[in-house]
């Protein structure tokens, strides 16, 4: 939906709807099939299952934040094409969110109880960096997706060797995060200053360490 055709009240309600859809698990049906759909479940020990669930909970929390970031950026984007690009990315991120949630439940656990916190924090950061202008907003997205790709690569190493269902989801997400980053660069992303990148890494570390457990 093009937000520019909406009144301020419509925008507010649409934003609240997006937020509730994201943090109110179950997230609902993804638009695309789960990449793990045709992959058989493997025999995992209790420890492996709980480790995989912890990693997928971290990834789910990341997708909650991705929803908020993209929606936050889209709300304040000045350029219609950029707003559309962000809404398209947010739609793909929503599938990631739903796939991660499905996998966490298959592993017998629940998404992070702190989802509202991840959403609120990321929305504020998204809207704040978006307010600086589209090139900074795109720069923030490009850097976020770069860091997320590295993080997902590390999870591909860390997941239990037998857990092919989680791995299929993480691989598909990693490919799409790379595309999101490339689109942001192609649309004119500015390179962020080093200290900002460092701050982003620290913030992400707090979130990933916490969401593994709660
Ligand atoms: Fe994602
Ligand atoms: Fe992404």
């Amino acid at each position: 939906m093009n937000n520019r055709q909406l009144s301020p009240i419509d925008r507010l309600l649409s934003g609240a709807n997006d937020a509730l859809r994201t943090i109110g698990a179950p997230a609902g049906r993804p638009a695309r099939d789960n990449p793990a759909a045709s992959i058989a479940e493997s025999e995992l020990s209790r420890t492996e299952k709980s480790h995989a669930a912890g990693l997928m909970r971290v990834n789910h929390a990341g997708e909650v934040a991705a929803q908020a970031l993209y929606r936050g950026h889209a709300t304040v984007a000045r350029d219609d094409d950029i707003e559309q690009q962000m809404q398209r990315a947010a739609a793909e991120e929503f599938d990631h969110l739903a796939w991660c949630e499905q996998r966490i439940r298959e592993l017998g656990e629940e998404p992070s109880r702190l989802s509202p916190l991840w959403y609120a924090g990321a929305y504020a950061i998204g809207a704040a960096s978006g307010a600086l202008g589209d090139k900074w907003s795109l720069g923030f997205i490009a850097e976020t997706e770069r860091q997320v790709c590295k993080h997902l690569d590390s999870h591909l190493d860390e997941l239990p060797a037998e857990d092919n269902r989680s791995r299929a989801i993480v691989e598909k997400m990693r490919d799409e995060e790379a595309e999101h980053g490339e689109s942001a660069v192609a649309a004119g992303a500015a390179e962020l200053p080093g200290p900002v990148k460092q701050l982003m890494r620290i913030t992400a570390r707090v979130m990933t360490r916490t969401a593994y457990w709660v």
Side-chain angles (χ1 to χ4, degrees):
M1 191 185 331
N2 185 349
N3 270 344
R4 289 185 191 278
Q5 293 161 357
L6 302 176
S7 73
I9 293 288
D10 289 336
R11 274 174 177 247
L12 193 70
L13 291 176
S14 156
N17 183 47
D18 290 336
L20 289 174
R21 209 163 79 109
T22 303
I23 59 177
R29 287 172 67 84
R32 295 170 297 159
D33 286 344
N34 188 316
S38 61
I39 297 173
E41 186 61 88
S42 30
E43 285 285 328
L44 299 172
S45 70
R46 236 174 55 195
T47 318
E48 286 173 328
K49 255 180 143 176
S50 119
H51 181 49
L55 295 177
M56 294 309 280
R57 185 161 44 243
V58 167
N59 294 331
H60 180 271
E63 295 299 336
V64 167
Q67 280 299 299
L69 268 183
Y70 275 107
R71 303 286 181 199
H73 280 294
T75 308
V76 294
R78 290 157 173 78
D79 181 287
D80 279 348
D81 289 341
I82 291 175
E83 184 191 346
Q84 291 301 308
Q85 182 181 327
M86 289 181 181
Q87 296 289 8
R88 268 195 306 277
E92 290 189 356
E93 306 286 11
F94 186 78
D95 288 347
H96 301 175
L97 178 87
W99 299 335
C100 286
E101 187 190 328
Q102 285 170 356
R103 187 59 188 148
I104 295 167
R105 294 196 193 283
E106 284 171 9
L107 292 163
E109 296 201 14
E110 300 281 321
S112 172
R113 290 195 294 276
L114 300 176
S115 289
L117 185 67
W118 310 137
Y119 193 93
Y123 191 91
I125 293 171
S129 75
L132 296 174
D134 286 347
K135 74 173 187 169
W136 294 110
S137 164
L138 290 164
F140 188 83
I141 284 176
E143 178 58 22
T144 302
E145 297 286 15
R146 225 173 272 139
Q147 293 187 14
V148 169
C149 282
K150 273 197 197 151
H151 158 85
L152 293 175
D153 278 333
S154 76
H155 273 201
L156 288 172
D157 289 338
E158 256 199 81
L159 277 166
E162 310 286 298
D163 189 359
N164 295 323
R165 283 177 74 84
S166 297
R167 192 164 273 106
I169 294 171
V170 173
E171 277 170 357
K172 177 74 176 164
M173 281 163 50
R174 196 254 331 262
D175 291 349
E176 292 189 348
E177 313 307 6
E179 284 168 21
H180 297 159
E182 283 157 20
S183 314
V185 170
E191 189 71 22
L192 300 186
V196 175
K197 293 182 187 176
Q198 187 56 24
L199 187 66
M200 289 165 69
R201 274 190 283 271
I202 294 167
T203 311
R205 208 172 301 143
V206 171
M207 191 185 83
T208 54
R209 300 240 165 118
T210 312
Y212 181 86
W213 300 107
V214 279

